[in-house]
Structure formats: structure tokens, C-alpha cells
């Protein structure tokens, strides 16, 4: 397996524009996580899914953020409208979801909102 | 309120010596702990883990110690190598999600 695949690797957009980040988890993994990394807050969990169903979205900062998982092999994180303070690296991760297993991370999407 | 804390933002160690990275947690429901390593422009990669039923787990140069009563864990790297220079994240789990600390940047000096 190629691991968790995220696209794009880099995104530069203007304030107010819609941004869509994409993730393909490892095949067979039941859990998918979206994290955001910033200097101030480190790695913070935004939302996670189990079998394509959102389980906990309490980390989603505002209504401008939304995430979907239409099937087991694809998830999106959308920001609309984007703001400069959304600039960060966004990571997607997946795991088998069994007790005592680790999460595998993608390479991240570096988002810059100008 | 941070549930997982890494109070040292950075650490410098001489090559060949021991690196000790520390992590504290507040939630007593956490029962599985992990360390991840992150290089610039890459995603975090899993390094080593420990279950709450153990107090030590070793994998080559890496050993993780868990002190449940103190809610503290540490990662020991010995001997340290320049390639170990990276940001190390401590993470904890009580179910299916993972809570990460802010990270410690380790620099191993040749």
C-alpha cells in the first residue's frame, strides 16, 4: 500500500476563496482523522470518522470548516470561506481502529491563505 | 486545556549520548501511548508505543518508560545519532482517537 495520500501538497489561495483538501486512507483502515498543525497549538484533532461516519467533530474550529467521507477510500476537508488564520499544515491519518494500534499519517497539505 | 504536555520545546544532545524526551498527561483514561517522529515537510511517523499495562517497551535504540502514578512517560534514545534530529510528538489514546502533545525538537550535534 502507498500509505495515506493527501492532495494537494501545497495550496495558496486568497482570503474568501473555497479550499478543498483531499485524503485517501490506507486500504482496510476503519478510522480516518484530520489534524491541523500550527506553531501555537501543535497537532490538533479536527474531526475523525469511523466506517465513513463522523464520530467527533468537536475540534472543527468554525462552521467554515466541513469534512466528508463519501466512501471508505476518500475524504475531503473544506474551508469556505478561507481566512489567513487558517494557514497551517493539515494532516490526514488513518488507523485500523483496533485497540493499541497506531495511526499512519499522510505527508500533509500546507495551506497558505493570503 | 492540554491533555498531553511536552514541556521542553527543544533539546540538544551530543552524538553518542542519551536523549531523554518527556511527556505528561492529565487524563487517567488514556491507556495507550505513542511516540511519533517528524521531519520537515513530512508527516509524523510512528516510532514506538506502550500500553498502560506495561512500564517499559524497548525497540533497538528506543525505549519508552511509563509511570502511570505520575502520569508521565519518557522516550530514551541511546546512542543518539544526527539522523535522530527531528520533532518528537507524544500521543495518548483512550479509545480510537489520538491526542498529541505540542512536540519537542531534538537536535543531535555531531
Amino acid at each position: 500500500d502507498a500509505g495515506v495520500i493527501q492532495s494537494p501538497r501545497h495550496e495558496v489561495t486568497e482570503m474568501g476563496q473555497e479550499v478543498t483538501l483531499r485524503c485517501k486512507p490506507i486500504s482496510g483502515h476503519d478510522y480516518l482523522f484530520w489534524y491541523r498543525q500550527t506553531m501555537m497549538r501543535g497537532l490538533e484533532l479536527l474531526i475523525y470518522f469511523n466506517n465513513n461516519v463522523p464520530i467527533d467533530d468537536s475540534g472543527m474550529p468554525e462552521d467554515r470548516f466541513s469534512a466528508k467521507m463519501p466512501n471508505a477510500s476518500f475524504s475531503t476537508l473544506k474551508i469556505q470561506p478561507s481566512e489567513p488564520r487558517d494557514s497551517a499544515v493539515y494532516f490526514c491519518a488513518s488507523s485500523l481502529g483496533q485497540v493499541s494500534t497506531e495511526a499512519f499519517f499522510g505527508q500533509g497539505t500546507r495551506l497558505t491563505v493570503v | 486545556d492540554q491533555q498531553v504536555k511536552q514541556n521542553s520545546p527543544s533539546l540538544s544532545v551530543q552524538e553518542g549520548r542519551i536523549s531523554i524526551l518527556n511527556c505528561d498527561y492529565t487524563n487517567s483514561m488514556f491507556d495507550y501511548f505513542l511516540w511519533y517522529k517528524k521531519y520537515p515537510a513530512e508527516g509524523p511517523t510512528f516510532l514506538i508505543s506502550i500500553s498502560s499495562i506495561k512500564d517499559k517497551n524497548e525497540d533497538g535504540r528506543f525505549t519508552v518508560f511509563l509511570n502511570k502514578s505520575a502520569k508521565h512517560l519518557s522516550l530514551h534514545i541511546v546512542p543518539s545519532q544526527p539522523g535522530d534530529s527531528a520533532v518528537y510528538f507524544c500521543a495518548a489514546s483512550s479509545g480510537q482517537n489520538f491526542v498529541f502533545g505540542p512536540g519537542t525538537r531534538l537536535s543531535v550535534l555531531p
Side-chain angles (χ1 to χ4, degrees), chain A residues 11-83:
Chain A
E11 176 80 44
V12 180
T13 190
E14 290 186 346
M15 182 174 65
Q17 296 297 306
E18 177 180 295
V19 175
T20 299
L21 312 181
R22 296 172 176 80
C23 175
K24 181 182 188 305
I26 293 173
S27 177
H29 281 192
D30 299 311
Y31 283 78
L32 183 140
F33 309 85
W34 281 102
Y35 285 89
R36 176 171 69 174
Q37 184 187 14
T38 61
M39 289 293 290
M40 293 296 294
R41 301 172 72 94
L43 267 172
E44 53 177 338
L45 177 67
L46 301 178
I47 185 171
Y48 75 96
F49 296 82
N50 175 214
N51 290 323
N52 315 338
V53 176
I55 302 300
D56 183 355
D57 65 355
S58 59
M60 296 285 262
E62 300 171 31
D63 290 346
R64 298 184 295 106
F65 285 69
S66 62
K68 294 182 179 179
M69 192 165 185
N71 57 63
S73 59
F74 183 66
S75 176
T76 60
L77 178 67
K78 187 174 293 187
I79 308 172
Q80 164 65 14
S82 57
E83 295 182 3

Side-chain angles (χ1 to χ4, degrees), chain A residues 9 31 33 35 97 101 103 106, chain B residues 32 36 38 41 43-44 96 98 100:
Chain A
R9 288 295 309 275
Y31 283 78
F33 309 85
Y35 285 89
T101 58
Chain B
Y32 186 58
Y36 281 79
K38 185 183 179 304
Q96 306 304 342
F98 302 86
F100 283 80

Side-chain angles (χ1 to χ4, degrees), chain B residues 21-35:
Chain B
L21 296 97
N22 293 303
C23 177
D24 298 288
Y25 61 95
T26 57
N27 188 341
S28 57
M29 297 299 292
F30 288 142
D31 57 7
Y32 186 58
F33 304 89
L34 312 91
W35 285 94

